[in-house]
């Protein structure tokens, strides 16, 4: 069975080698007569590719996934495929996605026209979101819970520290967030984002300021809203020597990443940014034509998370941040104290 990138490569060759010949035989006029553009990368790559198609509807714009493993495609096949495009953009990707190895650096060496672009990572809105790495699976080997790979640091701390579910739920209050530094991460997140973009040759400082004026612009620490990806797509075009047209992207935008899991912006965190927050956790739903999907409130999310933790086993629940809290007796004792005091005071949020 073909993987996603295998199918995308086959589709690309059909478009490139077969469809023009069929059009010539049948007299059909090809719709896409502009440049061929390829966007390779993570979950943000589709949004970038879609934005480029909006910017030039005459272009052939194809998205190639660097998520998961190919069953057929190797680096030779990928390079040969991408060589048929006028412009190629890629996120960083590690060895293991393609058969026989090969990463984004090798792709750039073998196909110098490739432009590397930064992925968006921004934690200020979701300071509690963590991943739990499965050490037996180094490539995207995350432990999945009720919200896929997204876990709560406080939830994991409560489980490992021996708090009850109610006590852990009571830790989701402003005094605990303050103690853990959740309410003042903006400067660190903004500086890290801007400096990382500079490593790729992009100055996104003005864009970040504009996004911030629109409120919360992330669904999670790695899933930006579509207007963010549109602005980055424009910068990618400029770097490649293309001129982005004036376009009302908001009229055509697709919130592709909203189909995936959405981590809430906690109320005390949201107030820092003048936004409305809550504890509503959205489950992934990539079949919106069939079902509206489902959500979990805080007690449901924590209860389901703890079932995952119990099934996984303590020895597999390592996370650097939570490990540090547990190893620091002062932090551990203080957070547990606050959680228990909140619980006795009836401060157990739900939504």
């Amino acid at each position: 069975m073909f993987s996603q990138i295998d199918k995308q490569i086959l589709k690309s060759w059909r478009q490139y080698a077969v469809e023009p010949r069929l059009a010539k035989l049948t007299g059909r006029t090809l719709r896409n007569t502009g440049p061929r553009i390829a966007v390779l990368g993570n979950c943000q790559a589709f949004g970038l590719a879609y934005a480029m198609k909006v910017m030039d509807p005459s272009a052939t714009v194809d998205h190639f996934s660097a998520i998961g493993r190919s069953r057929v495609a190797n680096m030779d096949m990928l390079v040969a495929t991408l060589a048929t495009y006028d412009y190629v953009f890629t996120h960083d990707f590690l060895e293991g996605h393609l058969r026989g190895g090969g990463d984004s650096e090798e792709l750039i060496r073998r196909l110098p026209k490739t432009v590397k672009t930064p992925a968006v990572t921004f934690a200020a809105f979701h300071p509690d979101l963590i991943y739990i790495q499965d050490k037996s699976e180094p490539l995207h080997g995350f432990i999945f819970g009720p919200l896929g790979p997204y876990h709560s640091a406080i939830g994991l701390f409560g489980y490992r520290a021996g708090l009850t579910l109610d006590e852990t739920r009571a830790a989701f209050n402003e005094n605990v967030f303050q103690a853990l530094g959740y309410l003042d991460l903006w400067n660190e997140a903004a500086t890290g984002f801007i400096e990382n973009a500079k490593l790729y040759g992009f100055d996104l400082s003005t864009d970040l300021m504009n996004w911030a004026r629109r409120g919360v612009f992330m669904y999670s620490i790695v899933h930006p809203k579509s207007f963010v990806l549109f602005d980055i797509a424009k910068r990618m075009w400029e770097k490649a020597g293309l001129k982005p047209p004036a376009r009302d992207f908001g009229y055509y935008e697709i919130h592709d990443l909203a189909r995936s899991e959405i981590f809430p912006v906690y109320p005390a965190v949201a107030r820092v940014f003048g936004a409305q927050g809550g504890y509503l956790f959205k489950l992934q739903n990539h079949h919106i034509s069939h079902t509206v999907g489902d959500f979990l409130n805080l007690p449901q999310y924590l209860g389901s998370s703890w079932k995952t933790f119990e099934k996984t086993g303590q020895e597999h629940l390592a996370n650097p941040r939570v490990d540090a809290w547990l190893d620091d007796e002062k932090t551990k004792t203080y957070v547990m104290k606050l959680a228990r005091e909140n619980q006795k005071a009836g401060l157990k949020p739900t939504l």
Side-chain angles (χ1 to χ4, degrees), residues 66 80 206-207 318 331:
T206 299
D207 297 281
T331 299

Side-chain angles (χ1 to χ4, degrees), residues 4 8 37-53 61-67 89-91 117-120 222-224 229 233 236 256-257:
Q4 186 175 4
Q8 290 161 339
I37 301 172
V39 183
L40 172 67
N42 59 30
C43 50
Q44 300 174 21
F46 174 85
L48 294 172
Y50 177 77
M52 293 184 187
K53 181 66 175 180
V61 184
D62 289 325
H63 156 241
F64 295 84
S65 174
I67 301 174
F89 303 93
T90 187
H91 287 131
T117 184
V120 179
V222 294
H223 281 182
L229 295 175
M236 292 164 64
D256 177 63
L257 292 176

Side-chain angles (χ1 to χ4, degrees), residues 178-229:
Q178 184 71 55
L180 296 175
Y182 280 10
L183 305 183
D184 43 29
L185 281 180
W186 176 270
N187 288 341
E188 179 182 339
T191 300
F193 172 77
I194 291 170
E195 292 304 314
N196 180 66
K198 287 180 180 178
L199 297 176
Y200 296 79
F202 291 87
D203 182 0
L204 298 178
S205 53
T206 299
D207 297 281
L208 177 61
M209 182 174 62
N210 291 333
W211 303 335
R213 288 171 177 160
R214 299 181 64 168
V216 176
F217 55 82
M218 302 290 291
Y219 293 121
S220 72
I221 62 175
V222 294
H223 281 182
K225 292 187 177 180
S226 56
F227 62 82
V228 172
L229 295 175

